[in-house]
């Protein structure tokens, strides 16, 4: 990995640490980009989650809706790591709601996700500004209607920018260049954790794995795009490219004629 990568050897905080996607992001950041990662989840989740221990992973417990806890976490991480240069906030909600009960849960979870993100901004951005570098990534799950989420994003951006400007206003004069080096990226993904059900092989091959989704998210962050949309299923071209050998062997078996077999010619 080139040292020019914006992710190379960064200090990273990842929320929703018990999810397979967060763990896949954690693994790639450590192994490919040589990062130090703080993985955020409750103690119960840490106990139950089956993740490989690694010296570059540190586990922390924090209620993101509690600003004091987030501020305490920021201070603790600054002492342990120095500046956290990349914050990846993965929403906990699935984006799916059909019944009234599910709608109520969706509204509550969305409110908690927004409040948690606001607390992360207000507690981690000041240190980034002082160091004149940093990245904030928000991963939104949009399995049902990604277009609606993208269309409503400007209002969300206004909220983020107002918080950012309020933090920038407190900068000392010598750090005035800081805001130019802070990047915000929003990732829209229709990825859903697949239940372990018996499915046709074709369906399994079309669904991207958590590792592949994480890889695409990090590529989007490296590209410095403001918005990144992840389609968590392969298109036909990708499917054929990934399975070209198998497809070729199946095709040859069906089309190959024995040397002794003659091709019948029908004469009208």
């Amino acid at each position: 990995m080139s040292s020019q990568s914006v992710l190379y050897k960064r200090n990273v905080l990842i929320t929703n640490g018990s999810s397979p996607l967060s763990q896949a992001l954690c693994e790639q950041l450590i192994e490919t980009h040589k990062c130090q990662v703080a993985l955020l989840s409750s103690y119960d989740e840490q106990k139950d989650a089956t993740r490989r221990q690694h010296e570059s992973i540190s586990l922390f417990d924090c209620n993101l809706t509690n600003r004091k806890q987030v501020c305490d976490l920021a201070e603790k991480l600054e002492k342990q790591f120095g500046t956290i240069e990349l914050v990846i906030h993965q929403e906990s909600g699935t984006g799916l709601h059909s019944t009234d009960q599910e709608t109520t849960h969706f509204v509550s979870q969305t409110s908690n996700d927004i409040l948690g993100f606001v607390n992360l901004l207000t507690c981690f951005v000041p240190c980034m500004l002082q160091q004149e570098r940093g990245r904030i990534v928000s991963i939104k799950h949009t399995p049902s209607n990604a277009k609606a989420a993208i269309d409503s994003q400007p209002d969300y951006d206004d909220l983020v920018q107002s918080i950012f400007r309020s933090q920038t206003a407190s900068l000392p004069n010598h750090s005035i260049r800081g805001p130019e080096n802070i990047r915000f990226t929003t990732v829209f993904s229709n990825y859903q954790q697949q239940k372990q059900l018996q499915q046709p092989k074709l369906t399994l091959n079309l669904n991207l794995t958590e590792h592949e989704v994480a890889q695409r998210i990090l590529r989007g962050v490296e590209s410095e795009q403001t918005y990144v949309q992840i389609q968590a299923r392969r298109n036909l071209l990708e499917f054929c490219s990934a399975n070209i050998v198998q497809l070729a062997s199946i095709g040859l078996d069906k089309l190959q004629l024995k040397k002794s077999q003659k091709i019948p010619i029908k004469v009208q």
Side-chain angles (χ1 to χ4, degrees):
M1 175 57 57
S2 170
S3 59
Q4 297 302 311
S5 169
V6 298
L7 300 176
Y8 186 67
K9 288 190 174 181
R10 301 303 183 189
N11 297 326
V12 185
L13 171 65
I14 302 178
T15 68
N16 197 5
S18 63
S19 77
L21 180 56
S22 289
Q23 293 176 40
L25 286 166
C26 180
E27 180 180 349
Q28 290 186 40
L29 285 166
I30 289 171
E31 295 186 356
T32 304
H33 301 281
K34 313 304 179 188
C35 295
Q36 290 280 342
V37 177
L39 200 60
L40 202 61
S41 61
S42 70
Y43 288 131
D44 290 338
E45 289 173 335
Q46 292 173 23
K47 182 179 178 181
D48 296 337
T50 55
R51 64 174 63 92
R52 180 171 57 82
Q53 295 299 315
H54 194 288
E55 62 181 5
S56 296
I57 301 175
S58 298
L59 301 176
F60 293 90
D61 179 37
C62 180
N63 177 5
L64 292 180
T65 63
N66 185 316
R67 179 166 178 168
K68 184 179 184 307
Q69 287 192 30
V70 180
C71 289
D72 290 344
L73 174 68
E75 292 179 3
K76 187 184 301 183
L77 293 180
E78 185 175 1
K79 291 178 181 178
Q80 181 168 335
F81 292 110
T83 302
I84 293 295
E85 300 158 300
L86 171 62
V87 174
I88 300 179
H89 177 53
Q90 183 192 172
E91 292 185 348
S92 301
T94 62
L96 297 172
H97 51 285
S98 55
T99 66
D100 290 342
Q101 184 177 3
E102 289 172 343
T103 300
T104 301
H105 176 73
F106 169 77
V107 172
S108 174
Q109 187 61 67
T110 301
S111 300
N112 288 338
D113 283 329
I114 293 175
L115 179 57
F117 189 53
V118 168
N119 286 336
L120 287 170
L121 285 173
T122 55
C123 295
F124 283 90
V125 164
C127 190
M128 290 181 178
L129 289 170
Q130 291 177 7
Q131 297 298 321
E132 300 187 359
R133 66 179 184 274
R135 293 178 183 275
I136 308 289
V137 179
S138 176
I139 302 177
K140 296 180 175 295
H141 297 297
T142 55
S144 55
N145 195 344
K147 185 178 184 304
I150 295 173
D151 289 343
S152 65
Q153 186 63 23
D155 293 332
Y156 193 79
D157 290 341
D158 288 343
L159 170 64
V160 171
Q161 287 300 324
S162 64
I163 296 171
F164 181 63
R165 286 192 296 269
S166 69
Q167 300 298 321
T168 305
S170 63
L171 279 175
N173 294 332
H174 70 274
S175 298
I176 197 64
R177 294 190 308 275
E180 299 176 1
N181 298 323
I182 310 297
R183 304 290 184 185
F184 295 89
T185 300
T186 303
V187 178
F188 301 93
S189 173
N190 64 358
Y191 163 79
Q192 300 178 67
Q193 184 177 355
Q194 300 295 321
K195 294 181 179 180
Q196 298 300 318
L197 301 175
Q198 191 66 28
Q199 297 179 343
K201 289 185 177 180
L202 182 62
T203 302
L204 290 175
N205 286 337
L206 285 176
N207 290 332
L208 296 179
T209 64
E210 290 93 354
H211 179 86
E212 290 169 320
V213 174
Q215 190 175 57
R216 295 185 181 210
I217 289 173
L218 294 179
R219 284 176 183 171
V221 175
E222 283 187 297
S223 70
E224 300 192 0
Q225 298 179 67
T226 303
Y227 303 118
V228 177
Q229 188 169 1
I230 306 294
Q231 296 295 336
R233 285 174 64 84
R234 297 180 178 88
N235 59 37
L236 184 59
L237 178 61
E238 290 175 319
F239 171 73
C240 292
S241 299
N243 297 276
I244 188 67
V245 176
Q246 291 85 342
L247 290 172
S249 63
I250 292 173
L252 290 174
D253 287 343
K254 290 185 176 180
L255 295 176
Q256 187 176 20
L257 298 173
K258 294 181 179 179
K259 292 182 179 180
S260 60
Q261 183 180 356
K262 295 182 179 180
I263 302 177
I265 300 178
K266 184 176 181 180
V267 178
Q268 297 292 340

